[in-house]
Amino acid sequence: MKKTLIPLMGIITLFTSCKETHQTENILKKRIEYYLRECEDNGVSGSILIAQEGEVLYSGGLGLSDRNKKTQTNEETIFTIGSITKQFTASAILKLQEEGKLSVKDSLAGFFDNVPADKKNITIHQLLTHTSGIIGNLTNGGDFVLIEKEDFLSKVFNSTLDFAPGSSYYYSNVGYTLLTIIIEQITQQDYEVYLNDVFFKKVGMENTGYILPNWDKNNIAYAYKCGEDRGAHIEKWKINSNKISYHQKGNGGILSTPSDMYKWYTTLKEHKILSEESTKFLVEPHVLINKNQFYGYGWVVLKSDRNTKKIAHSGFNGVNYSNFIRLPEEKNTVIIYMTSLVRYDTRRIGKEIEKLIFDENYEPIVPKMNSTKYSAGEEPNKNMTVINKFASILLKIETEQTIESFMKAHIPDTGKHKRFKNYFRAMQKEFTDYKLVHTLEYEDDTYDILLESKRGVIEELTPCFDLKFNEQNQITAFGW
């Protein structure tokens, strides 16, 4: 009898433990689903995947990806991932290093002719870690402004370094495009073609790329900001004859889905396309960003709120936002979040989910995206009266009203007056000869102010959101 008692008790203990784990997982799933439903009810749209220990806890979409067609966002909706693109560039460099075709210790002089003296010794490692001193972005270097490779290189090599190579850190999109050009020179292939052949096809990432995938056009998310349709990347590339600008190539702009990016994560974790050594290089804390964050190769390495290792990167182009969070010490938790409807709180959803997962008492912040539109001059409440006064001063309609008296009357925190004045002057300079079109009022007492140029172009006061009020109709925040 004693011999059967111990295994029986072990079975009972194991059964009880499994049952409790299952119950905990069900509670967590319900909390996640409830939070995301709240987000959707409040106007959020996007796609999210959450996984732990190789099991997907949640995968799905919120809101509409195309308002005109009333297309519901789902787990296969295609978004722009922005600077998350950089990890593909870094991985391609490490793949070429594995093949003996380059080394991260190699310098620019080994790849380009006539490199200026101040840039000759910049290494691939420094480009990967944003420590090269190369400028962040070229002047007039918009994502969809076409520039030929030779012109791009000429402008970069003739630019002034921000600091001596290796002496500091400054985030550089230009640096990652230089890496992209190096990849193209070595492989004699277009950057996207190389990624597709070496990475994406091999792991079944059929919805990842710039223009090569056979996109389901009905499943591509359109970007919206302050109620205005900002279009989709695919359409903008078509205008440029399907050419990807070197202002963006390799540093941002790739399209993907959370499910495809999870395949990528699994591929890295299981060392299917990169060796274990190379994979470690991606997430090594190579260079200090600040006291809590380090930059690896296309990834940021930091500590979570629970003092565990966190590996992450986000992508943001002012309209679209994506976030990729990995927590290898906490059940290999992965959170991948993408949205093309951005306001100040929508960018934090991935982090809010992280807090929700690891703190059963945490009440996550729900972004408020539903809004009411008021035409210029409408004053249904005291907040709108203040906003119309602000717009009149900004657009120089009410010359007798000074910004100093406005701040004294409506911004109680005098410590913010200097920053507000700088914000105001910058906006006044940017929006000369504009007129007020309408204002969007959100449920959290924040407002977006939309202006129209003489050419009929509608712009929001940047950055969006613009003004936030308290219950006393006083301005408590402005800008991001």
Side-chain angles (χ1 to χ4, degrees):
M1 292 294 291
K2 289 182 180 179
K3 290 182 179 180
T4 61
L5 182 61
I6 295 175
L8 181 60
M9 289 300 295
I11 291 170
I12 293 171
T13 302
L14 180 62
F15 175 78
T16 303
S17 175
C18 289
K19 185 178 180 181
E20 289 175 351
T21 300
H22 184 66
Q23 288 175 340
T24 302
E25 289 177 352
N26 282 339
I27 292 171
L28 177 58
K29 286 180 182 179
K30 288 179 180 178
R31 288 189 71 211
I32 291 170
E33 289 170 357
Y34 179 78
Y35 171 64
L36 294 176
R37 278 199 303 271
E38 276 198 295
C39 288
E40 185 173 38
D41 290 344
N42 279 278
V44 174
S45 67
S47 189
I48 302 162
L49 184 146
I50 304 161
Q52 285 187 324
E53 299 292 16
E55 178 187 350
V56 175
L57 299 180
Y58 180 91
S59 180
L62 315 173
L64 300 176
S65 60
D66 185 335
R67 294 181 179 180
N68 291 329
K69 295 180 180 179
K70 306 298 182 185
T71 306
Q72 180 68 37
T73 309
N74 57 57
E75 60 185 6
E76 295 302 326
T77 298
I78 299 152
F79 292 87
T80 302
I81 65 171
S83 286
I84 294 176
T85 299
K86 290 181 173 66
Q87 62 184 265
F88 296 133
T89 304
S91 296
I93 290 290
L94 291 175
K95 186 68 175 176
L96 293 173
Q97 179 173 257
E98 286 182 8
E99 296 169 352
K101 296 177 180 177
L102 58 72
S103 166
V104 295
K105 296 178 182 178
D106 292 342
S107 62
L108 288 180
F111 301 99
F112 303 104
D113 297 327
N114 303 315
V115 181
D118 63 337
K119 301 177 182 71
K120 276 187 176 181
N121 296 323
I122 290 174
T123 65
I124 288 177
H125 170 81
Q126 289 168 344
L127 293 172
L128 286 165
T129 55
H130 303 292
T131 56
S132 68
I134 294 285
I135 58 174
N137 297 286
L138 291 178
T139 304
N140 300 320
D143 288 349
F144 304 102
V145 177
L146 279 180
I147 184 170
E148 296 300 326
K149 185 186 299 183
E150 292 73 19
D151 190 19
F152 178 87
L153 289 172
S154 175
K155 288 183 176 181
V156 173
F157 289 152
N158 287 316
S159 66
T160 302
L161 290 176
D162 286 335
F163 50 82
S167 67
S168 187
Y169 167 93
Y170 185 75
Y171 194 85
S172 174
N173 286 313
V174 169
Y176 265 76
T177 297
L178 284 176
L179 292 169
T180 299
I181 295 172
I182 290 172
I183 292 166
E184 291 184 332
Q185 288 189 181
I186 290 176
T187 64
Q188 291 298 294
Q189 287 182 291
D190 173 76
Y191 170 77
E192 184 187 6
V193 171
Y194 177 78
L195 291 186
N196 199 48
D197 290 348
V198 178
F199 296 153
F200 302 154
K201 279 184 181 178
K202 290 185 177 180
V203 299
M205 295 170 67
E206 297 179 356
N207 285 315
T208 301
Y210 286 115
I211 58 175
L212 290 181
N214 184 23
W215 304 112
D216 179 352
K217 296 177 182 178
N218 294 320
N219 223 11
I220 297 174
Y222 279 71
Y224 298 91
K225 189 177 182 186
C226 299
E228 300 296 318
D229 185 346
R230 298 306 177 92
H233 275 51
I234 296 288
E235 294 177 339
K236 295 176 182 179
W237 288 327
K238 282 183 178 179
I239 294 172
N240 291 329
S241 301
N242 283 332
K243 290 184 178 180
I244 311 305
S245 172
Y246 278 98
H247 288 306
Q248 185 177 56
K249 201 172 189 180
N251 69 64
I254 277 183
L255 306 179
S256 191
T257 67
S259 56
D260 259 20
M261 293 306 295
Y262 186 65
K263 290 176 185 176
W264 174 249
Y265 159 78
T266 302
T267 298
L268 290 177
K269 186 173 180 293
E270 297 176 357
H271 314 302
K272 290 180 179 179
I273 52 176
L274 287 179
S275 68
E276 185 174 357
E277 182 181 2
S278 292
T279 304
K280 286 181 179 178
F281 258 95
L282 281 175
V283 296
E284 277 288 313
H286 293 295
V287 59
L288 183 67
I289 300 174
N290 56 44
K291 63 179 180 179
N292 296 316
Q293 297 184 352
F294 295 81
Y295 206 87
Y297 287 173
W299 288 97
V300 176
V301 184
L302 64 161
K303 290 290 185 181
S304 72
D305 293 340
R306 300 158 304 282
N307 203 35
T308 60
K309 186 175 184 178
K310 182 174 179 177
I311 304 165
H313 210 291
S314 61
F316 180 51
N317 63 4
V319 182
N320 304 273
Y321 178 78
S322 296
N323 199 4
F324 196 149
I325 299 171
R326 297 164 55 185
L327 298 157
E329 297 173 353
E330 297 178 282
K331 297 184 178 181
N332 286 310
T333 299
V334 176
I335 303 166
I336 304 171
Y337 165 60
M338 301 177 183
T339 182
S340 56
L341 181 61
V342 174
R343 284 192 86 237
Y344 66 106
D345 268 350
T346 54
R347 296 195 296 172
R348 66 192 300 167
I349 285 178
K351 295 177 183 178
E352 291 298 300
I353 291 172
E354 178 192 341
K355 292 179 181 180
L356 180 156
I357 289 173
F358 296 105
D359 183 353
E360 62 183 16
N361 296 316
Y362 182 70
E363 293 293 334
I365 293 171
V366 178
K368 309 290 186 182
M369 296 297 295
N370 295 323
S371 64
T372 302
K373 182 187 289 187
Y374 297 119
S375 299
E378 277 193 81
E379 295 184 356
N381 55 53
K382 292 181 180 179
N383 288 352
M384 282 300 301
T385 301
V386 175
I387 285 175
N388 283 331
K389 185 178 292 184
F390 169 76
S392 293
I393 304 169
L394 181 77
L395 302 175
K396 300 180 180 179
I397 297 170
E398 290 188 15
T399 54
E400 73 278 3
Q401 177 79 47
T402 66
I403 189 62
E404 284 80 8
S405 60
F406 178 85
M407 291 189 298
K408 184 177 180 181
H410 302 293
I411 304 177
D413 186 350
T414 56
K416 293 182 178 179
H417 283 194
K418 183 178 180 180
R419 189 166 70 87
F420 185 87
K421 187 181 289 186
N422 291 336
Y423 162 80
F424 177 87
R425 285 172 177 168
M427 294 303 99
Q428 195 169 55
K429 183 178 180 180
E430 182 172 350
F431 293 104
T432 301
D433 295 327
Y434 277 68
K435 66 177 181 179
L436 177 63
V437 179
H438 60 258
T439 300
L440 299 177
E441 179 185 61
Y442 296 87
E443 295 170 357
D444 56 358
D445 288 326
T446 60
Y447 294 78
D448 287 325
I449 302 170
L450 282 295
L451 306 175
E452 185 178 3
S453 71
K454 287 185 176 180
R455 295 183 292 112
V457 178
I458 296 178
E459 300 280 358
E460 75 279 0
L461 273 178
T462 52
C464 175
F465 72 102
D466 301 309
L467 300 176
K468 184 171 185 175
F469 289 79
N470 61 19
E471 293 179 355
Q472 288 73 45
N473 309 111
Q474 296 171 316
I475 297 171
T476 58
F478 43 90
W480 282 111

